[in-house]
Amino acid sequence: DGGITQSPKYLFRKEGQNVTLSCEQNLNHDAMYWYRQDPGQGLRLIYYSQIVNDFQKGDIAEGYSVSREKKESFPLTVTSAQKNPTAFYLCASSIDLGSMNTEAFFGQGTRLTVV
Amino acid sequence: RKEVEQDPGPFNVPEGATVAFNCTYSNSASQSFFWYRQDCRKEPKLLMSVYSSGNEDGRFTAQLNRASQYISLLIRDSKLSDSATYLCVVSAGSNYQLIWGAGTKLIIKP
């Protein structure tokens, strides 16, 4: 079955540590996204990528980094520079970025907690 | 003013009732509109796209009002399983970037 897989589902990080969240898709989608969701808030865009080896900052990129070495994979690293990383992280993909009515498909999310 | 605004709710509605909620957007150049459903602690899933002519899918009807810059979602004969948060999404700009509302929480009571 095609879809997006995020791992791990739950992640605990000590202060000062970097952690990497995995996102893999087998939908052959060009565009991939990382969002952060905090309680009672909408999704906020961290980074997005339209094509392999290219990615752009979203609204809240500070303290995060990404790579897009393969079409299928778009890992997100939460660095120690991110001061309030506890949140629900969602990875999504769509066929491409430049089309109207393009549906975004989501992974099941990673819940990151700083301990 | 937020780019996409929704009443956070919760809307407490008895089973079988009809419920409607709106979502307003600030960018008059917005081109695409969607409603997503998100269950507690789960990922969002597309409920329906919203077309200029309005569209219906079973018990769900979505409408777009460009003049007043809002979209609406109507749920008829509500079921317990409709309990969820409904997210409004608007796309705009040259790359159709998606802007998400914070969601409206709906609770259907038996």
Side-chain angles (χ1 to χ4, degrees):
Chain A
D1 285 339
I4 302 179
T5 302
Q6 285 187 245
S7 62
K9 190 172 183 179
Y10 298 97
L11 184 59
F12 297 90
R13 189 195 95 169
K14 292 183 180 178
E15 293 211 20
Q17 275 185 337
N18 291 356
V19 290
T20 297
L21 283 57
S22 169
C23 177
E24 304 278 331
Q25 55 100 356
N26 61 3
L27 299 167
N28 199 34
H29 285 171
D30 284 321
M32 296 188 74
Y33 317 79
W34 273 106
Y35 290 95
R36 169 181 172 141
Q37 188 176 35
D38 294 283
Q41 296 193 34
L43 277 64
R44 291 186 290 166
L45 184 63
I46 304 173
Y47 269 97
Y48 65 98
S49 168
Q50 292 181 262
I51 198 169
V52 174
N53 292 323
D54 180 68
F55 48 83
Q56 306 295 328
K57 291 182 179 180
D59 301 318
I60 56 165
E62 186 174 349
Y64 300 97
S65 65
V66 293
S67 63
R68 187 86 186 275
E69 297 177 3
K70 299 186 299 181
K71 187 175 185 177
E72 301 80 18
S73 179
F74 191 40
L76 173 74
T77 297
V78 184
T79 75
S80 56
Q82 171 48 240
K83 297 306 177 190
N84 186 23
T86 295
F88 187 41
Y89 290 87
L90 287 157
C91 179
S93 72
S94 62
I95 293 174
D96 57 40
L97 192 60
S99 301
M100 290 179 63
N101 294 320
T102 297
E103 178 183 354
F105 293 83
F106 285 85
Q108 291 186 314
T110 294
R111 203 163 292 276
L112 174 64
T113 303
V114 172
V115 296
Chain B
R1 182 185 172 189
K2 291 182 182 177
E3 291 187 75
V4 177
E5 290 201 73
Q6 296 183 252
D7 182 338
F11 284 50
N12 290 285
V13 174
E15 192 176 8
T18 295
V19 60
F21 24 85
N22 291 339
C23 163
T24 59
Y25 60 94
S26 60
N27 187 345
S28 60
S30 298
Q31 297 119 327
S32 302
F33 309 87
F34 309 88
W35 282 105
Y36 276 73
R37 171 193 169 128
Q38 186 174 25
D39 292 300
C40 188
R41 303 177 76 85
K42 300 283 190 181
E43 75 276 19
K45 293 184 179 178
L46 180 68
L47 179 65
M48 56 199 311
S49 302
V50 187
Y51 304 120
S52 297
S53 56
N55 48 307
E56 187 174 313
D57 182 3
R59 297 182 293 109
F60 297 84
T61 301
Q63 297 280 351
L64 166 63
N65 186 317
R66 283 196 182 273
S68 300
Q69 293 184 206
Y70 73 87
I71 65 172
S72 63
L73 179 67
L74 178 80
I75 305 174
R76 289 180 299 278
D77 187 24
S78 52
K79 311 291 184 191
L80 296 175
S81 58
D82 294 333
S83 297
T85 296
Y86 291 84
L87 300 169
C88 168
V89 191
V90 175
S91 76
S94 58
N95 63 1
Y96 299 101
Q97 192 168 121
L98 298 177
I99 310 297
W100 295 76
T104 296
K105 186 170 184 178
L106 175 64
I107 300 171
I108 307 298
K109 301 179 295 184

